[in-house]
């Protein structure tokens, strides 16, 4: 597991993981995979993700567990993968 210096973690304004956060892979072979964070299973108290993972944290109007189960549905994963493909096509067309 890669580590970042504590100073980097302290200065970071995004990417920090909290208990109950939903994490979703935004690209690569794991695109659309989601999990929910259980801090008791993590090796350290202070954890952050890299640029390939989004941290989803709902507000008080949306139940985090319901959101997590909706995001695990195949239809949601398909939408994420389709969106990723559209972005890749757009980036490739800019290179010509």
């Amino acid at each position: 597991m890669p580590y970042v210096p504590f100073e980097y973690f302290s200065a970071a304004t995004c990417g920090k993981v909290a208990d109950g956060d939903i994490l979703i892979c935004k690209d690569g072979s794991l695109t659309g995979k989601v999990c929910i964070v259980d801090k008791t299973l993590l090796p350290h108290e202070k954890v952050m993700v890299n640029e390939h993972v989004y941290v989803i944290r709902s507000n008080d109007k949306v139940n985090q567990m319901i959101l997590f189960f909706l995001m695990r549905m195949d239809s949601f994963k398909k939408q994420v993968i389709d969106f990723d493909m559209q972005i890749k096509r757009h980036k490739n067309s800019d290179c010509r």
Side-chain angles (χ1 to χ4, degrees):
M1 180 180 306
Y3 294 91
V4 297
F6 182 72
E7 296 78 21
Y8 181 86
F9 179 87
S10 297
T13 58
C14 59
K16 294 179 182 179
V17 175
D19 195 43
D21 281 350
I22 298 169
L23 306 180
I24 181 169
C25 295
K26 70 176 189 102
D27 53 26
S29 64
L30 298 176
T31 300
K33 294 278 188 180
V34 297
C35 70
I36 195 157
V37 175
D38 178 350
K39 289 284 269 209
T40 64
L41 301 176
L42 297 177
H44 300 283
E45 187 176 319
K46 298 181 185 323
V47 177
M48 65 187 310
V49 296
N50 65 21
E51 68 276 6
H52 301 284
V53 178
Y54 288 126
V55 177
I56 310 295
R57 197 172 296 146
S58 64
N59 59 27
D60 60 346
K61 295 179 181 180
V62 178
N63 181 290
Q64 189 81 348
M65 287 305 291
I66 292 174
L67 181 59
F68 170 64
F69 286 115
L70 290 172
M71 292 175 77
R72 290 193 60 208
M73 295 176 67
D74 288 339
S75 57
F76 179 83
K77 183 178 178 180
K78 182 182 179 329
Q79 288 180 348
V80 172
I81 291 170
D82 289 349
F83 184 68
D84 182 53
M85 294 301 291
Q86 289 175 10
I87 290 171
K88 287 176 182 170
R89 269 184 290 201
H90 179 71
K91 284 182 180 178
N92 288 339
S93 67
D94 289 345
C95 295
R96 296 175 191 182

